Amino acid sequence: MKVSLSRRIEQNVQLINESMRSYLDATGRSYQRLIEAMQYSAFEGGKRVRPFLTLEFCRMLGGEDEASVPYAAAIEMIHTYSLIHDDLPCMDNDDLRRGKPTNHKRFGEATALLAGDALLTRAFGVAASAAATTAEQNMAAVRLLSEQAGFDGMAGGQMLDLMGEEKMPEENTFLLMNRLKTGCLIKTACMLGCLAAGFGAGTEEYAAAERYGEKLGFAFQIEDDLLDEGTEDEKTTFLSYLSKEEARRKILVLTDEAKKAIASYDNDGVLTTFADYLSDRTI
Ligand code: GRG
């Protein structure tokens, strides 16, 4: 059956926005500015790629949305925190994100720092207290998020990125940086969907999700570099190591490998179509 992907994306974005609104809904605080800063970045135009993966992996494996939605919201909150902090003057010092002023441009540096912190910590609370999954599933989700967002995950990748600003990294270091910085959250999104469907570490499903996510995350970052080409002259990107043609070929190979990782599942249609869609994205 041909899946209408754009409709599916729209529905998932709506579902995820509703749930994030409920988790980030707080009014009447004397420190309301913090909550406004969190909401500002949480609801301004993200593609919601990571929560899409969580919802769809859970569905592919026969799980219920009720189980995956809190994990999907949690990973998007961590992603949002990472973007706020990445834009800060002490990191990339960016003025615009998604075509709008960055969080610190709009709310000031200190509030932006806190908004990121509060989104990160809220994510753990949301995953830990998810109601439709067991305490054991929630613990596994929290542990996974902590590992993959932390020093051996996204934060470690960001450190390598900062170190690479001083001198162009060796290719292996550059690959590791991308695997940690971008790949870890993307593969975690897939693995969270498995956990929500009841398939934890040691299962074939969990390994397939990890493999699909790794390949997709790798392709996603190369695509990001192709889309950003020319906007960040001094930065090392995949195009510092590959020609555009080689980069495009690599994306196709990785996308194929991602699709193969889930080809044995009956309901792999949406995730297969999504992998192709990402490999050809324009934003
Ligand atoms: C500050 C700990 C810390 C980490 C920051 C994610 C990250 C690490 C930095 C953001 C800069 C960047 C380009 C990272 C590569 C990952 C990536 C392509 C992020 C953008 O993800 P999208 O395209 O963003 O899914 P949207 O806006 O759609 O949510």
Side-chain angles (χ1 to χ4, degrees):
M1 187 182 68
K2 180 104 184 78
V3 182
S4 161
L5 189 68
S6 54
R7 174 113 186 85
R8 192 76 165 214
I9 292 174
E10 250 172 61
Q11 287 169 345
N12 286 351
V13 167
Q14 205 178 338
L15 184 60
I16 208 66
N17 285 352
E18 276 166 22
S19 82
M20 282 176 67
R21 276 197 199 287
S22 76
Y23 293 126
L24 298 176
D25 178 35
T27 50
R29 311 295 204 264
S30 52
Y31 45 85
Q32 197 64 29
R33 186 175 173 78
L34 171 62
I35 292 136
E36 279 168 29
M38 293 162 77
Q39 292 171 342
Y40 177 78
S41 292
F43 299 110
E44 286 303 333
K47 293 186 288 299
R48 308 300 198 206
V49 167
R50 294 154 193 79
F52 181 97
L53 292 168
T54 306
L55 296 176
E56 294 299 345
F57 256 93
C58 183
R59 286 175 190 159
M60 182 181 81
L61 298 172
E64 300 291 330
D65 286 355
E66 242 191 320
S68 60
V69 161
Y71 297 172
I75 192 122
E76 189 66 5
M77 285 182 210
I78 293 183
H79 167 63
T80 310
Y81 125 77
S82 78
L83 299 183
I84 297 175
H85 282 198
D86 186 61
D87 290 334
L88 285 170
C90 62
M91 299 263 180
D92 271 5
N93 194 18
D94 278 319
D95 293 349
L96 289 175
R97 160 87 47 198
R98 301 166 176 160
K100 292 194 55 177
T102 45
N103 201 290
H104 65 274
K105 278 281 155 193
R106 169 77 175 72
F107 291 93
E109 222 175 304
T111 303
L113 187 75
L114 283 177
D117 291 342
L119 281 163
L120 174 64
T121 46
R122 181 72 178 126
F124 290 118
V126 166
S129 48
T133 34
T134 63
E136 202 184 331
Q137 282 168 297
N138 295 348
M139 184 59 82
V142 168
R143 194 184 302 126
L144 179 67
L145 285 167
S146 157
E147 281 167 7
Q148 302 296 330
F151 62 88
D152 275 339
M154 183 176 65
Q158 183 74 353
M159 187 70 230
L160 280 176
D161 197 9
L162 293 175
M163 289 160 67
E165 281 173 13
E166 287 149 30
K167 128 175 188 301
M168 182 164 157
E170 298 279 326
E171 192 170 349
N172 276 346
T173 307
F174 180 74
L175 288 172
L176 175 64
M177 186 267 282
N178 282 292
R179 206 165 68 230
L180 295 174
K181 196 177 93 160
T182 312
C184 280
L185 276 207
I186 291 188
K187 85 173 178 197
T188 298
C190 302
M191 292 154 86
L192 285 173
C194 273
L195 286 177
F199 298 94
T203 63
E204 249 175 51
E205 289 76 3
Y206 201 67
E210 182 168 12
R211 186 165 170 78
Y212 172 96
E214 272 171 3
K215 301 293 178 185
L216 200 78
F218 194 171
F220 188 82
Q221 184 60 58
I222 304 177
E223 189 69 48
D224 208 61
D225 288 351
L226 278 170
L227 290 169
D228 279 354
E229 203 214 342
T231 56
E232 295 186 276
D233 291 344
E234 322 94 70
K235 266 204 141 174
T236 307
T237 74
F238 275 102
L239 298 179
S240 318
Y241 304 90
L242 299 175
S243 70
K244 276 204 254 177
E245 292 65 36
E246 285 168 335
R248 292 224 164 80
R249 264 203 304 279
K250 182 83 186 155
I251 290 171
L252 292 182
V253 170
L254 288 163
T255 302
D256 221 47
E257 288 173 345
K259 294 193 289 188
K260 281 206 182 95
I262 54 165
S264 63
Y265 297 95
D266 287 345
N267 297 319
D268 65 327
V270 175
L271 286 166
T272 296
T273 316
F274 191 61
D276 283 330
Y277 163 81
L278 283 188
S279 75
D280 207 22
R281 72 197 166 99
T282 50
I283 52 163

